[in-house]
Amino acid sequence: MTSDEVVASQAQELRRGTVVLACLALLEEPQYGYALLETLNDAGVTVDGNTLYPLLRRLEKQGLLVSEWNTDESRPRKFYRVSPEGAEIRGGLVREWRDLVASIARITKEN
């Protein structure tokens, strides 16, 4: 593997855990899966549909998201939004994220 390939692989590992937090943050307003996928990618959180859709189902099963079908348009779409429990968990994850960023900043500055 080249150095660039190793960096890309490790960066993917770093991003993997951040997708949950990004979804909980973005789904304060209801969105359907494909729109969320585009929003994440536009924001620089690269994720593919084969990762996102199972994640949304898992978060819903855990009670962090709620969903409802919109059948008003020609294609029914399942809209997701953060649940009250999900909003509480998001707050804790944001605090953890900020602490982690500060820790990594200190570590990289020291080295």
Side-chain angles (χ1 to χ4, degrees), residues 10-80:
Q10 293 302 315
Q12 182 179 8
E13 290 297 319
L14 282 173
R15 282 192 299 271
R16 188 165 290 157
T18 63
V19 175
V20 169
L21 178 55
C23 287
L24 293 175
L26 289 170
L27 290 172
E28 190 64 35
E29 297 295 322
Q31 290 192 55
Y32 63 95
Y34 186 75
L36 178 61
L37 187 65
E38 287 187 325
T39 302
L40 287 165
N41 286 324
D42 289 348
V45 181
T46 307
V47 62
D48 114 345
N50 293 328
T51 300
L52 182 63
Y53 294 111
L55 173 67
L56 292 172
R57 287 190 295 274
R58 180 172 57 86
L59 293 175
E60 183 178 23
K61 188 175 182 178
Q62 292 172 340
L64 304 181
L65 298 179
V66 294
S67 69
E68 68 179 43
W69 284 97
N70 179 335
T71 56
D72 295 341
E73 298 180 26
S74 60
R75 272 181 82 190
R77 292 184 171 152
K78 190 173 190 179
F79 280 75
Y80 293 90

